[in-house]
Structures are given as C-alpha cells and as structure tokens.
Amino acid sequence: MKRTLAALATLAAVVGGVLVTAPTAAAADGYCSTSTGVVRGDYGTHVPTTSWGSTSCVMSRGSTGDGVEELQFALTICYGMDTGGTDGIYGAKTEAAVRSLQSATGQTADGIYGPNTRNVVEWRWYRYPNGAKCERL
C-alpha cells in the first residue's frame, strides 16, 4: 500500500511539473507542427507555424517536424549554435541553443520557443538565384 501511494505521489508530481511548465494558451495559438514560407521583397524564408498557418506557436523538447528544422537552421546558420543537427527533432542541444538565445536577448531562458522567442530570432532569408541574409521577421 505504501509503495502504491508513493508511486501515485511521484506520478502526480511528474504530471504536475509538466502542467506547470507547459505553455499557456494565451502565450500561443498552438503547437508549431509545420512551417510556412514568408516573402519580403526579393527575399524569402520559412518559419515555424501551426497547422493553420499561425506563427504564434510553441515548440519545446520533444517537438518534431518542419518547424523545428527551420528553427535549427536559423540557430545554426545565423547564430553559429550547435543544435545537434538540422534533423527536425527538438532535443537537448536545440533546447540549450534556444536558452542561449533567450538569455542573450533578455528573455526568461526556459528553452521553450514561443511568440516572444520568435520575435527575436533572426531567420535565414534567401534571394534567388543567390544571396542571403539573417534578419528578424
């Protein structure tokens, strides 16, 4: 009985910790599940978005997909950070890179990509047939 209660208490603490650290609905429109192209003049880039196209989205450790890959490209190319590769998996190195960017820009360094972090990321903008620059949205 004591073991069962201890296991339940541990489970409640773990679940409670997840709920406490999860982003609030007010912070974003949803999770970044894909990416979308953005064009500005002669330049274009791709940024993380929700499935319905909102750039006001959230990613954190365990997130996967095109949105994560675009964030990894920006952190690697524009900042020279090690994200563990551009594999579309938000792992420990991507989280550490996001924390570093957040700290450098005066944000709370929680490692979670959300609207505040999106506003300070410099994305890799390409101009065809050649040319590129790093710039915020």
Side-chain angles (χ1 to χ4, degrees):
M1 181 69 165
K2 285 183 181 180
R3 285 187 185 176
T4 302
L5 290 174
L8 288 173
T10 302
L11 178 61
V14 169
V15 170
V18 169
L19 293 176
V20 168
T21 59
T24 64
D29 294 334
Y31 291 98
C32 305
S33 57
T34 188
S35 67
T36 193
V38 177
V39 176
R40 182 185 295 153
D42 293 341
Y43 288 87
T45 192
H46 280 84
V47 295
T49 59
T50 62
S51 60
W52 57 91
S54 173
T55 60
S56 181
C57 56
V58 175
M59 295 183 291
S60 60
R61 192 186 294 207
S63 295
T64 60
D66 292 343
V68 175
E69 188 174 351
E70 295 303 334
L71 175 62
Q72 290 171 326
F73 275 125
L75 294 171
T76 301
I77 294 170
C78 295
Y79 296 94
M81 295 182 178
D82 178 13
T83 62
T86 52
D87 58 3
I89 300 170
Y90 202 118
K93 288 187 175 185
T94 299
E95 182 180 84
V98 169
R99 283 181 194 271
S100 180
L101 174 65
Q102 290 169 326
S103 181
T105 57
Q107 297 182 51
T108 300
D110 59 8
I112 298 171
Y113 171 91
N116 292 336
T117 303
R118 180 205 64 228
N119 290 336
V120 299
V121 171
E122 291 193 0
W123 303 95
R124 186 65 166 178
W125 293 79
Y126 296 94
R127 183 177 67 200
Y128 299 100
N130 55 22
K133 63 182 178 178
C134 290
E135 190 174 273
R136 292 181 184 175
L137 282 177

